[in-house]
Amino acid sequence: MHGDPDKVRVVDAGPERGAFLDTLLVRADPEAAAPHEVEPFRPAATVLAYRDTAHAADLLARGRGSLAASLVSDDVPWTTSLVTETAAWHGRLHLLDSVTMGRTTGHGSPLPALRHGGPGRAGGGSEMAGLRGVLDLMQRTAVQGSPRVLDALGT
């Protein structure tokens, strides 16, 4: 593990005045149940070793759905194969290569222009970023009527 779950570093705030957590990078046994069944809800990433493309696809599917997964490679055939095999399990696949690494938005960065969410326990089909998070909770009413009435409502 890289990072300390018991230490919290904050800037311009008291750690006791909020739900602050430092970043963790965790290396896990890919065959263990925990990395696939327990979702770390914090700034965290889990690194799992894989044998080949089929094993990597199996590991990505074992979580039964995630909001985002990152694939980092310059091997375009490998990346496209893995995307084809795993897209159904993720709301967003963040594909990084040597061209995009320097300007990445980050693995879990909410992107308000994208409507996505992983299957099952991961987002329920909707990323709640930006205005999308507000609009999904607003009352919507469709109004049907004559042009004269609808024009009057629009003023």
Side-chain angles (χ1 to χ4, degrees):
M1 178 181 335
H2 179 72
D4 185 343
D6 296 322
K7 288 187 180 177
V8 177
R9 296 165 293 165
V10 296
V11 177
D12 295 331
E16 70 286 346
R17 296 187 50 120
F20 301 105
L21 298 169
D22 273 0
T23 302
L24 289 179
L25 182 61
V26 180
R27 184 181 67 195
D29 175 0
E31 303 310 322
H36 309 287
E37 296 175 2
V38 178
E39 180 180 8
F41 198 73
R42 65 182 303 141
T46 305
V47 177
L48 302 173
Y50 58 90
R51 293 183 298 274
D52 53 30
T53 305
H55 187 229
D58 176 62
L59 293 174
L60 285 165
R62 284 180 61 190
R64 299 181 321 275
S66 78
L67 193 56
S70 292
L71 306 176
V72 182
S73 177
D74 268 332
D75 185 336
V76 174
W78 178 84
T79 301
T80 57
S81 174
L82 203 56
V83 166
T84 302
E85 293 294 320
T86 63
W89 293 104
H90 305 285
R92 177 165 52 109
L93 289 172
H94 191 195
L95 310 178
L96 297 168
D97 59 17
S98 58
V99 174
T100 59
M101 279 300 286
R103 52 184 188 255
T104 177
T105 58
H107 166 79
S109 297
L111 301 172
L114 298 179
R115 181 139 179 108
H116 72 281
R121 63 188 177 126
S126 183
E127 168 62 57
M128 298 298 287
L131 289 178
R132 170 109 35 231
V134 174
L135 295 175
D136 280 352
L137 300 173
M138 291 178 67
Q139 171 66 40
R140 293 185 190 99
T141 303
V143 179
Q144 183 177 0
S146 71
R148 179 176 60 98
V149 174
L150 294 178
D151 285 345
L153 286 171
T155 59

